[in-house]
Amino acid sequence: MARTKIKIKRIDNITARQVTFSKRRRGLLKKAEELAVLCDADVALIIFSATGKLFEYASSSMPEMLGRYKLQSDKSRDEVDKPALNLQLVENDDVRLSKEINDKNHELRQLSGQDLQGLTIDELEKLENLLQGGLDRVIKTKDEKISNEIFNLQMKLL
């Protein structure tokens, strides 16, 4: 025979409410104990009746468990504020890095002779000097490598 589904609402009959509270409290305490034993979990359960009577279960020391709870809840409350700050810093970094990437891409296009319109004569001269310095270094490195190759070939012939 299947159980009938009950509608979850406040029980108006005081006696029926007390009986239901007592049965469900015992069931809840039993489930808490089973969870602690089966899963090797630290479980603390605190129940106050409608009259204010305290019922509790703790798989270890209740004061110790409450202390751990307080530490964890304080830590998580502090960390709730941090992600917003971290997210803001990340967004600021993203904006800054995107601008930096765009600037470097523009500079690279100018170094390859593109996007030169809008540059002043002074800026064009700086770009020319920068390119000339780079070209001088490339020519020097190439000459050194050619000299090394010639030297290595001469050594092989001897």
Side-chain angles (χ1 to χ4, degrees):
M1 186 166 151
R3 292 186 180 172
T4 59
K5 202 102 164 135
I6 64 161
K7 188 173 182 180
I8 302 295
K9 64 179 179 82
R10 186 174 187 269
I11 301 171
D12 293 326
N13 184 321
I14 296 173
T15 307
R17 187 182 325 138
Q18 183 57 41
V19 168
T20 301
F21 174 79
S22 180
K23 287 180 179 179
R24 288 186 176 245
R25 183 195 73 232
R26 275 183 279 156
L28 191 55
L29 289 167
K30 183 178 177 186
K31 290 289 184 186
E33 183 180 9
E34 289 172 358
L35 181 64
V37 171
L38 292 172
C39 302
D40 195 28
D42 287 334
V43 178
L45 176 64
I46 301 172
I47 304 170
F48 289 100
S49 70
T51 60
K53 186 173 179 186
L54 170 68
F55 300 91
E56 65 180 70
Y57 168 80
S59 58
S60 61
S61 164
M62 181 62 85
E64 185 180 301
M65 299 271 290
L66 291 174
R68 281 179 52 198
Y69 170 76
K70 179 145 178 50
L71 273 173
Q72 289 296 320
S73 65
D74 288 347
K75 193 184 303 181
S76 66
R77 200 174 307 121
D78 290 344
E79 290 174 0
V80 165
D81 296 335
K82 289 180 183 176
L85 180 59
N86 287 342
L87 182 60
Q88 187 178 9
L89 292 174
V90 167
E91 287 174 352
N92 288 344
D93 281 349
D94 284 350
V95 169
R96 183 183 54 78
L97 290 173
S98 291
K99 184 180 182 327
E100 195 173 321
I101 287 170
N102 286 337
D103 291 347
K104 294 295 181 187
N105 282 333
H106 184 70
E107 189 178 321
L108 188 60
R109 283 192 303 274
Q110 287 179 337
L111 287 170
S112 64
Q114 302 168 352
D115 290 347
L116 299 177
Q117 57 281 40
L119 291 180
T120 64
I121 294 175
D122 287 340
E123 291 170 331
L124 286 169
E125 284 179 354
K126 285 179 186 176
L127 183 59
E128 181 183 12
N129 290 337
L130 185 64
L131 288 169
Q132 189 61 49
L135 182 60
D136 291 344
R137 286 188 296 278
V138 168
I139 291 171
K140 181 180 175 194
T141 303
K142 184 184 87 171
D143 288 346
E144 288 173 358
K145 288 198 180 259
I146 289 173
S147 295
N148 286 340
E149 282 293 318
I150 291 171
F151 179 76
N152 288 337
L153 288 172
Q154 287 174 344
M155 293 303 288
K156 284 183 180 178
L157 290 175
L158 293 177

